[in-house]
Amino acid sequence: MSKQVRTWTVLSLVGAALACGQVAVAQQEPDWSKVQIKTTKVSGNIYMLEGQGGNIAASVGEDGIVIVDDQFAPLAEKIQAALKELKITDKPVRFVINTHFHGDHTGGNVPFNNAGSTLIAQDNVRKRLESGRHRRQWQLDQSGREACGQARASHHHL
């Protein structure tokens, strides 16, 4: 390998490392106070909630609410408030169904469970949540690894 090719290779690698480092610094935790929960009626008593992360499906009935996924813990109160604003029921979220283990879909599990919701997940999702491995992968994804073109191990569904 010629000295010029080696020099360009090294400079290219250094440039890529610097770019990835800047992406990691730029991707910091969102300002949760600024996140708004948008509610859209899909059909009948079925709604979609959008905020930060994965969308939430909600089935609202007179006897309570079932939601599919619950975004992040700091948004749990805003999500519950958005559901109460629908004024269909005064009952709480009775069930939370987790589609998969990523933090933008399961981060609100603890606050919802503490408020009395029953959590439901497929066995592999439950095992991953119990192991804590999903937290480390979520942190890796948020640190800029994905933006730098490296292989992404998360967001694989069951």
Side-chain angles (χ1 to χ4, degrees), residues 26-44:
Q27 291 185 345
Q28 299 196 5
E29 190 167 315
D31 182 350
W32 302 113
S33 67
K34 293 181 180 177
V35 176
Q36 300 292 317
I37 304 299
K38 177 185 173 193
T39 306
T40 304
K41 184 173 185 165
V42 176
S43 178

Side-chain angles (χ1 to χ4, degrees), residues 63-136:
D63 58 343
I65 302 169
V66 176
I67 62 173
V68 178
D69 294 332
D70 54 23
Q71 294 190 357
F72 295 102
L75 299 176
E77 287 183 27
K78 288 184 176 192
I79 293 164
Q80 290 178 350
L83 291 167
K84 285 182 182 177
E85 288 176 17
L86 297 174
K87 298 186 191 282
I88 295 174
T89 182
D90 59 352
K91 304 290 185 199
V93 173
R94 295 189 56 195
F95 298 96
V96 174
I97 301 171
N98 293 146
T99 58
H100 64 288
F101 66 95
H102 296 135
D104 64 325
H105 295 264
T106 62
N109 281 358
V110 170
F112 276 100
N113 188 247
N114 289 344
S117 301
T118 299
L119 304 175
I120 300 171
Q122 192 265 355
D123 281 341
N124 288 332
V125 174
R126 181 184 53 78
K127 288 174 188 173
R128 287 180 178 143
L129 290 170
E130 287 175 346
S131 76
R133 285 182 296 158
H134 71 288
R135 281 187 224 107
R136 183 173 184 282

Side-chain angles (χ1 to χ4, degrees), residues 1-66:
M1 182 184 290
S2 75
K3 185 175 182 180
Q4 186 178 14
V5 171
R6 229 182 337 214
T7 301
W8 279 108
T9 302
V10 170
L11 288 175
S12 296
L13 291 173
V14 169
L18 289 172
C20 288
Q22 290 173 343
V23 168
V25 171
Q27 291 185 345
Q28 299 196 5
E29 190 167 315
D31 182 350
W32 302 113
S33 67
K34 293 181 180 177
V35 176
Q36 300 292 317
I37 304 299
K38 177 185 173 193
T39 306
T40 304
K41 184 173 185 165
V42 176
S43 178
N45 287 344
I46 306 295
Y47 295 83
M48 178 182 69
L49 284 74
E50 300 171 83
Q52 180 77 30
N55 293 333
I56 298 171
S59 175
V60 183
E62 292 179 13
D63 58 343
I65 302 169
V66 176

